[in-house]
Amino acid sequence: MKKILVIILSVAILLISGCSSASEPITTVPLDPETTTVGDVAGTVEGDRYISHVGGIAYKLNGDYTVDWPDSDKRNILMCDYTGIDICGPVLIWSNKSSMNIAYVLDEKLKADAMNEYTLEQMNSRSKYNVKSAEYVDYKIGDRSYHALKSVLENNGKEASALQIYAFQDNGMLILISISGRSFRDVDKIAKNLQFA
């Protein structure tokens, strides 16, 4: 009986610790313009995890989803030869119509613009949805807070929720994570699986 109790407790502790830990640590590599490629920054899918070792970001993949790589034709360009102002990471789309885009912003002007009302104008002009309401918030992931734009979008009486998270990394990059879903609960569920180094 004692052995069974010990086994049950051991399994319970493993389950609890598995549920409470974010995921395995992110190993990072420095951004070296002479050796780092666009693909190194954009990241890869390793098993059930998206990770950019240069960006210092990871995401635990789950559910029924597809992954698209918009900048796949640029992956082998060295950063010293890259003339773009940002790098598109993956676009994840789930079967429930939720989505997440990750972009690595390199241009200083875009970094400044991403943090002001210009973001709202851009969102309105690029989306088939109109911005119904928007507010800047401090959004907590793990033990850190990130500046974010939380909004409700509307099209033909249908609403959707969106969250743009701005993560400034030590290497000077801004990671812009854009998440949308039918409700903020769906958006929040996706965002909680993000992990930063």
Side-chain angles (χ1 to χ4, degrees):
M1 183 68 171
K2 284 185 181 180
K3 276 189 176 183
I4 292 173
L5 186 57
V6 169
I7 292 171
I8 291 171
L9 286 174
S10 297
V11 170
I13 289 169
L14 285 173
L15 287 173
I16 290 168
S17 65
C19 292
S20 65
S21 70
S23 61
E24 60 190 271
I26 300 172
T27 55
T28 58
V29 295
L31 192 156
D32 178 352
E34 299 296 324
T35 59
T36 303
T37 65
V38 169
D40 294 333
V41 174
T44 59
V45 173
E46 299 174 4
D48 64 349
R49 189 177 189 214
Y50 160 75
I51 189 164
S52 170
H53 296 284
V54 176
I57 182 173
Y59 184 80
K60 175 82 168 156
L61 297 163
N62 56 32
D64 185 14
Y65 63 90
T66 58
V67 181
D68 186 32
W69 296 93
D71 280 346
S72 60
D73 59 329
K74 302 172 186 168
R75 288 188 74 86
N76 294 322
I77 300 173
L78 288 172
M79 289 303 292
C80 60
D81 297 327
Y82 186 64
T83 57
I85 54 179
D86 63 353
I87 294 172
C88 293
V91 176
L92 298 161
I93 301 171
W94 283 268
S95 59
N96 67 356
K97 306 297 183 209
S98 295
S99 67
M100 178 172 69
N101 302 359
I102 299 175
Y104 299 88
V105 179
L106 310 170
D107 184 86
E108 291 297 325
K109 182 180 183 306
L110 280 186
K111 289 180 191 178
D113 287 345
M115 301 301 286
N116 62 28
E117 295 303 319
Y118 176 79
T119 306
L120 292 174
E121 293 170 24
Q122 290 292 71
M123 187 188 300
N124 236 343
S125 67
R126 290 185 201 165
S127 175
K128 65 179 181 177
Y129 288 87
N130 295 317
V131 178
K132 187 174 176 182
S133 67
E135 64 176 325
Y136 286 102
V137 297
D138 286 328
Y139 188 80
K140 194 165 175 103
I141 298 174
D143 57 352
R144 290 165 53 190
S145 288
Y146 297 89
H147 195 66
L149 178 64
K150 180 180 177 182
S151 49
V152 175
L153 310 174
E154 183 181 41
N155 182 34
N156 294 330
K158 293 184 178 180
E159 289 187 356
S161 294
L163 183 70
Q164 288 185 319
I165 302 167
Y166 308 97
F168 287 93
Q169 300 299 72
D170 292 339
N171 60 11
M173 243 187 287
L174 163 62
I175 303 176
L176 178 60
I177 302 119
S178 302
I179 305 169
S180 63
R182 291 182 182 160
S183 69
F184 189 71
R185 186 174 154 218
D186 293 338
V187 169
D188 192 50
K189 208 171 172 185
I190 292 169
K192 294 304 183 194
N193 280 328
L194 286 163
Q195 181 187 6
F196 297 95

